[in-house]
Amino acid sequence: MMNIVFLGPPGAGKGTQAVDLSLEFGIPHISTGDILREAIKAGTELGRLAQSYINDGNLVPDQVVVDIIRVRLQNEDAREGYILDGFPRTIPQAEMLEKLLRESGTALDRAIYLEASEKVIIERLSGRRICRECGKIFHVVNMPPKVDGLCDICGGELIHRPDDQPEAIGRRLQVYREKTAALIQWYAERNLLVRVPADVAREETYENLQEIFRNYA
Ligand code: AP5
């Protein structure tokens, strides 16, 4: 059983690492960003509400994402733990998560902070491409697909996320500094924070993460 939160700026590699860890350790990867993008794709009411916030690089209102997480954590597959990627992103979200877990008689094991500099982040986000169909993450230079523009896994079209355009990247970094970075201290005060360098090769970060996860497997 391991309940993990991934913290870190946009583009630090949270999604990239969480997908592989989820496969290796058999626990679900729960990304609020992925859930919201799915809702946009499906054209649901949630998707329509979230779209303009996301495309402009702003946060979706706290209560909306907390409700998503409340429902998602009730799924059978989350009983043995989970990796929360992109949630919480504000102190009120972290407080609501703490309350939610307390009510269900569980708690977080670790908040893992993937540390990366702004220079690296901008370069990663500008070159990121994701599969329109399955969401697999690529990078035009660092992790290119085998066939240009097509997903290695399902053959779907690779797209440039609207919030990976320069203006939205700038806004996301500002929002991160103003609203999310405070969570580092918040989790440190609760003795849950682990810092993992993410400026380095993907494999190096992965080995550090495996080490942490093995302590809970
Ligand atoms: P979300 O999808 O969560 O975006 P994010 O947190 O900004 O994170 P990213 O997906 O941009 O980056 P990542 O750290 O996962 O990096 P990745 O692995 O892709 O959220 C999107 C939006 O949804 C938000 O802006 C907000 O509007 C809304 N939202 C979501 N959650 C919310 C919440 N809780 N509250 C309110 N609103 C919410 O890697 C990036 C690139 O780098 C890739 O191309 C990858 O191939 C490459 N890469 C990764 N690692 C390495 C490495 N070690 N070396 C070289 N390249 C690498």
Side-chain angles (χ1 to χ4, degrees), residues 1-6 30 66 68-75 78-84 87-88 92-111 186-187 190 192:
M1 172 95 179
M2 49 186 156
N3 301 333
I4 305 279
V5 158
F6 268 11
I30 301 174
V66 169
I68 290 173
I69 288 295
R70 179 181 294 115
V71 172
R72 180 61 185 86
L73 293 188
Q74 283 166 6
N75 273 21
R79 291 226 171 135
E80 293 306 313
Y82 41 77
I83 305 169
L84 289 180
F87 180 91
Q93 288 181 22
E95 288 168 348
M96 286 190 255
L97 175 64
E98 201 175 46
K99 183 165 174 277
L100 208 64
L101 297 182
R102 203 170 38 239
E103 284 167 2
S104 64
T106 57
L108 274 189
D109 294 301
R110 286 283 175 265
W186 199 85
Y187 280 116
R190 285 157 181 76
L192 291 173

Side-chain angles (χ1 to χ4, degrees), residues 17 21 24-25 196-197 200-214:
Q17 301 289 348
L21 290 161
E24 180 175 345
F25 291 90
V196 172
V200 293
R202 170 188 153 164
E203 296 75 16
E204 198 176 325
T205 301
Y206 192 71
E207 280 169 21
N208 277 322
L209 293 168
Q210 278 176 315
E211 194 71 29
I212 297 166
F213 274 63
R214 282 195 194 111

Side-chain angles (χ1 to χ4, degrees), residues 8-17 31-34 36-37 53-54 57-62 65 85-90 93 124-125 127-129 137-140 142-143 161 163-164 172 198-203 205:
K14 303 180 296 295
T16 300
Q17 301 289 348
S31 154
T32 37
D34 286 350
L36 292 167
R37 277 185 292 278
Y53 290 105
I54 294 187
N58 291 312
L59 294 183
V60 171
D62 286 341
V65 282
D85 163 11
F87 180 91
R89 245 181 166 93
T90 63
Q93 288 181 22
R124 286 187 187 167
L125 293 178
R128 173 165 59 188
R129 299 293 181 271
I137 305 164
F138 296 88
H139 188 281
V140 288
N142 304 338
M143 292 168 213
R161 270 171 46 176
D163 59 344
D164 281 346
R172 286 162 70 200
D199 262 359
V200 293
R202 170 188 153 164
E203 296 75 16
T205 301

Side-chain angles (χ1 to χ4, degrees), residues 104-122:
S104 64
T106 57
L108 274 189
D109 294 301
R110 286 283 175 265
I112 299 177
Y113 169 37
L114 295 181
E115 291 187 86
S117 70
E118 279 203 8
K119 183 172 170 289
V120 166
I121 286 164
I122 292 168

